[in-house]
Amino acid sequence: MSQAIIEKLDAIEAAQAEKVAAVEAKSVAAVEAAKIEMSEKIAALEAKVASVQAPAIIKIAKTVRSDVNRAVREQLSQFYKANNRVEKELKMFEDEAQHDAYLREASALTAGGDGKGGRTGYDPTFVALRLANPMRGLSRTVATDGSSYQFRVKTGNAGAAWGYTIQNNGGTTTEDTTIWQLVLQDINVQFPIRTAALDDIDGLEANVVDDMLAEFAQSEALSMVQNNDQAAQSGTNPYGGTNGLRGLDQYAGANATYAGGTTSAAAFGTSGTGSSSGLHSLATYDQLTSNVNTVGLSNITYKDVINTIYALPQQYWTPNTKFMVNPILASAIRGLQDTNGRPIYNAMESFSPDGIIGQLLGFDVVMNKYLDNPSQTTTAAAGTLSLYPMYFGDWSRAHTIIDRLNMVMRRYDQTQPGFITFFGEKRLATSVRDPNALIRYRSTGTAAN
């Protein structure tokens, strides 16, 4: 019985093997036929493609302007969908390269300057070069996040004396400290610009903001020299009045009566936190011969320059000691001649010709047109204010600029219909830190102002 079953199973297995072999044979034949058919179709398609006269690469024309506009539209869309209505800082460009390409891309106009129409190349929007604040980088600069800043200085002496016994033949000590406190002042501006102008003039917005910052620098430069923070603002004192910075010219210390060839004494001001505290007395050198009130007169001599240098205490002759000079006075100094008509300052002597400015008697010179002119420039009636066209000192010790850590710059959409309003604001203060480290040069005591 078992033998019969085994024989049947062998017969079934043999039959299945024959069927599998037949199926495999058919599959191989079908695959080979499909390969042949596909190869024939590919060859036919390649022949058709080869016969088509088309460029190898099809480029889609696009501009940097379209990319920037698309990016701005997407940001604005997200801004409005988020139901924001106050302000939005827009990222205009991905990097400097895109910004440069945007400004350089020619605008598509319907008519060119030659009357033939087509695309017209244009120069990117620019601003006239301004003189910013020469005292930046010259004076010591500190930062604060507070609304006021306090200076502290040790005054007086320990009272060293000769002798084995303490204070054997000396006086009592005069050790003391002085403080003064300044409130950071505010300079700000706001101005609207038509949206049509911003849309039509490429690069206008960036240049408007850049020029605004330069105007800020000009205002602070004027105020750091001219402003009297103890007087009310007026038409003749447009640099801030009681709301402005404390200017170098407004510190006390000059001789009450002009005395050519002499230097007044420096001293610290009163101690306290009031607005008049810290009004130091600056050592002021009077030019040997006053320019009085004659227009364009220059009586400066070689000896005046020497006297100015030696009026500064020797301990303040450091690598940071520099001249800050009005360009008109610098011109007069460079033009000084000896009795034979030869220039006193030349390449072989003390006024180095390297660069635009150079050095004066071995000390670096910084030009500052915001300083007073050394004499009258018009025939206006003489006033009572002295003119200080030059300062000399160790600026890292003598003068300090206090800045807030941040500056506000805002852009408001549609504050007026059709206008974008910009608002900029910064806070700062300035102070003479050590009056002993600075000499002020006075060229006249009766000048028009």
Side-chain angles (χ1 to χ4, degrees):
M1 184 68 178
S2 60
Q3 183 66 33
I5 292 174
I6 292 173
E7 290 177 355
K8 287 185 178 181
L9 290 175
D10 289 340
I12 293 173
E13 183 178 356
Q16 287 179 344
E18 290 177 359
K19 290 180 180 180
V20 169
V23 171
E24 288 179 350
K26 290 182 179 180
S27 297
V28 171
V31 170
E32 291 298 329
K35 286 183 178 180
I36 294 172
E37 184 180 2
M38 182 60 67
S39 299
E40 293 175 350
K41 290 182 178 181
I42 291 175
L45 181 60
E46 289 177 347
K48 289 183 179 181
V49 171
S51 64
V52 176
Q53 298 299 323
I57 299 175
I58 300 176
K59 295 182 178 179
I60 301 175
K62 70 174 184 176
T63 63
V64 177
R65 187 186 186 89
S66 63
D67 287 343
V68 172
N69 289 341
R70 174 177 49 76
V72 171
R73 284 196 303 270
E74 290 175 354
Q75 293 178 71
L76 289 176
S77 176
Q78 296 174 1
F79 174 68
Y80 289 118
K81 286 180 180 178
N83 199 30
N84 296 317
R85 293 294 182 269
V86 180
E87 59 181 288
K88 168 65 177 176
E89 179 180 355
L90 300 178
K91 180 181 179 182
M92 297 289 293
F93 308 102
E94 291 296 331
D95 50 35
E96 293 182 4
Q98 189 186 50
H99 176 255
D100 183 66
Y102 180 86
L103 294 180
R104 291 177 180 274
E105 190 176 88
S107 60
L109 303 179
T110 56
D114 56 1
K116 296 180 181 179
R119 296 177 66 86
T120 299
Y122 65 92
D123 197 57
T125 302
F126 70 97
V127 296
L129 188 64
R130 296 177 183 267
L131 176 65
N133 186 2
M135 296 183 70
R136 289 285 184 179
L138 182 64
S139 301
R140 169 177 173 263
T141 301
V142 298
T144 179
D145 57 359
S147 60
S148 62
Y149 192 84
Q150 186 175 111
F151 290 87
R152 296 170 293 179
V153 60
K154 183 194 79 68
T155 57
N157 301 304
W162 290 101
Y164 291 105
T165 306
I166 296 177
Q167 293 298 326
N168 183 39
N169 58 353
T172 58
T173 63
T174 58
E175 197 71 56
D176 199 2
T177 57
T178 295
I179 67 167
W180 64 97
Q181 186 167 306
L182 298 174
V183 176
L184 271 66
Q185 307 298 334
D186 179 85
I187 178 173
N188 63 73
V189 66
Q190 62 173 325
F191 51 94
I193 298 180
R194 288 191 62 86
T195 53
L198 286 177
D199 291 339
D200 293 342
I201 305 175
D202 290 335
L204 176 61
E205 182 170 345
N207 280 277
V208 163
V209 173
D210 179 69
D211 198 44
M212 181 205 72
L213 296 177
E215 285 191 62
F216 271 19
Q218 287 183 320
S219 294
E220 71 175 32
L222 280 167
S223 189
M224 288 180 187
V225 173
Q226 303 287 350
N227 186 67
N228 183 356
D229 71 342
Q230 301 298 306
Q233 183 174 345
S234 65
T236 58
N237 180 29
Y239 314 121
T242 55
N243 294 321
L245 307 177
R246 182 173 293 178
L248 285 173
D249 284 2
Q250 304 305 326
Y251 282 86
N255 292 320
T257 302
Y258 191 93
T262 65
T263 304
S264 62
F268 284 97
T270 57
S271 180
T273 58
S275 61
S276 61
S277 299
L279 285 172
H280 313 304
S281 293
L282 298 185
T284 305
Y285 171 76
D286 286 351
Q287 186 174 282
L288 282 167
T289 303
S290 172
N291 290 340
V292 292
N293 60 350
T294 304
V295 175
L297 184 64
S298 176
N299 286 326
I300 190 172
T301 64
Y302 177 78
K303 189 173 182 179
D304 285 317
V305 182
I306 297 297
N307 290 345
T308 301
I309 288 178
Y310 282 93
L312 184 71
Q314 182 182 350
Q315 61 267 31
Y316 292 104
W317 293 8
T318 73
N320 295 316
T321 303
K322 300 177 182 180
F323 283 95
M324 184 170 68
V325 190
N326 179 289
I328 296 176
L329 183 65
S331 175
I333 295 173
R334 184 179 279 276
L336 290 175
Q337 299 177 347
D338 61 17
T339 55
N340 296 318
R342 294 175 300 186
I344 294 176
Y345 296 105
N346 55 45
M348 300 304 295
E349 295 182 5
S350 302
F351 210 155
S352 170
D354 296 338
I356 299 176
I357 309 303
Q359 291 185 327
L360 178 59
L361 295 172
F363 295 97
D364 291 339
V365 177
V366 174
M367 295 292 185
N368 189 346
K369 78 163 191 175
Y370 300 111
L371 292 181
D372 294 328
N373 292 320
S375 62
Q376 284 186 217
T377 56
T378 66
T379 56
T384 58
L385 295 179
S386 301
L387 295 182
Y388 305 108
M390 182 165 66
Y391 287 81
F392 175 68
D394 180 351
W395 292 92
S396 64
R397 295 177 178 272
H399 191 258
T400 298
I401 301 172
I402 307 104
D403 283 315
R404 281 292 286 270
L405 292 174
N406 60 342
M407 174 184 169
V408 174
M409 184 64 214
R410 293 191 177 96
R411 182 184 190 274
Y412 295 105
D413 294 336
Q414 300 296 326
T415 51
Q416 301 178 49
F419 286 85
I420 301 295
T421 298
F422 293 84
F423 175 76
E425 180 184 33
K426 67 182 299 188
R427 293 179 183 271
L428 69 158
T430 61
S431 178
V432 169
R433 182 170 179 252
D434 185 353
N436 300 293
L438 191 65
I439 298 296
R440 185 168 54 184
Y441 185 94
R442 180 163 67 165
S443 62
T444 176
T446 54
N449 190 44

